[in-house]
Amino acid sequence: TWDRQAYVQPHGGLYPAWSSISRNLIMNGPSGNRDLGNLFPAVDNDDGSAYYWISHNLAAYGGFKNFLGNDKIWRSNLVLYPNGRTAESGNGPCIMAWGGANELYEENTCVQRSASGPGVDPYPWASEGGGCDYANLTMRLILLKLRRNSYLSPKAAYGGACGQDLPGLNKLGVELGSSVGLEPSVPELMAMARRTLAGQSPADAEQVDEGGFLGADDSDNAS
């Protein structure tokens, strides 16, 4: 997706209806991202994309990517081996998110050969204030909101986000309810894929904020 210009919508406003990318099987090339001319992750929300609901997709050999923009939700997706089909040939993390307000990654399952977790980058804030930091309340406004995700790998490890491990993020109210586990067997993966693709998508934008995340901070739920 690619949005650089706001247009007057049929209802007269500048804010579009939510676009849904849901219940798709997306295979990222024969050898993963950045191999054999495959330049993009499985779903690439680029250059200011806004108002996208991305749910119940099976993404194989590539994860998700966001570059700026605002108001996007990645929910209930299954990401299989974002680091590529046979080796480290993919885009790596389950999701790579460069700064954007009101963006939520929740209830997703990511299966990896080696734990890398989500990639989170504060760009363009990085040029103003340094590195990625969920403890920085100003920077946090454009950092990806993370909660209730499952990260599965051979060693049941979490690769971290913004330099923090899972317990450290939980203390900051980030990745609350998220967990790590062992890489499933092929039959288990097949069953997970069927359940994911059978999921239902929201009928309209009114259902988007059912989790109450718009305008809220995850730290409100921190213990």
Side-chain angles (χ1 to χ4, degrees):
T1 67
W2 201 331
D3 292 329
R4 288 186 173 182
Q5 179 64 52
Y7 293 92
V8 175
Q9 302 298 311
H11 53 69
L14 292 177
Y15 299 100
W18 285 75
S19 297
S20 177
I21 302 174
S22 301
R23 299 181 66 182
N24 298 289
L25 168 59
I26 306 169
M27 184 173 292
N28 190 23
S31 300
N33 188 44
R34 304 193 189 281
D35 258 8
L36 303 180
N38 294 293
L39 298 177
F40 301 110
V43 176
D44 185 358
N45 295 114
D46 207 355
D47 285 20
S49 298
Y51 303 101
Y52 281 91
W53 176 287
I54 302 164
S55 68
H56 294 99
N57 298 289
L58 170 56
Y61 311 138
F64 301 111
K65 172 180 163 288
N66 173 71
F67 184 71
L68 306 183
N70 55 274
D71 293 273
K72 286 182 283 292
I73 295 175
W74 298 264
R75 176 180 283 171
S76 302
N77 299 285
L78 175 61
V79 182
L80 299 181
Y81 308 109
N83 52 353
R85 180 172 63 91
T86 59
E88 298 290 333
S89 57
N91 69 314
C94 312
I95 181 169
M96 181 66 228
W98 283 272
N102 296 331
E103 297 188 333
L104 173 67
Y105 182 82
E106 73 168 354
E107 297 177 1
N108 301 285
T109 298
C110 185
V111 182
Q112 305 174 91
R113 293 186 183 85
S114 59
S116 64
V120 181
D121 191 300
Y123 180 86
W125 177 260
S127 62
E128 302 293 332
C132 187
D133 186 4
Y134 275 101
N136 183 321
L137 298 183
T138 302
M139 184 185 298
R140 186 171 176 139
L141 294 175
I142 63 166
L143 294 179
L144 182 66
K145 293 175 174 61
L146 299 156
R147 64 190 185 201
R148 297 193 294 272
N149 299 297
S150 178
Y151 301 93
L152 309 177
S153 64
K155 294 186 179 181
Y158 180 83
C162 290
Q164 291 271 3
D165 59 14
L166 192 54
L169 290 169
N170 288 167
K171 290 179 181 178
L172 295 172
V174 181
E175 288 279 32
L176 294 177
S178 295
S179 63
V180 298
L182 292 173
E183 179 184 20
S185 66
V186 171
E188 289 171 330
L189 288 175
M190 293 294 290
M192 293 165 63
R194 293 188 185 97
R195 288 195 299 270
T196 298
L197 292 173
Q200 300 299 313
S201 299
D204 49 50
E206 279 73 24
Q207 298 184 47
V208 166
D209 194 29
E210 64 184 270
F213 91 95
L214 294 177
D217 194 290
D218 294 331
S219 61
D220 295 340
N221 299 319
S223 56

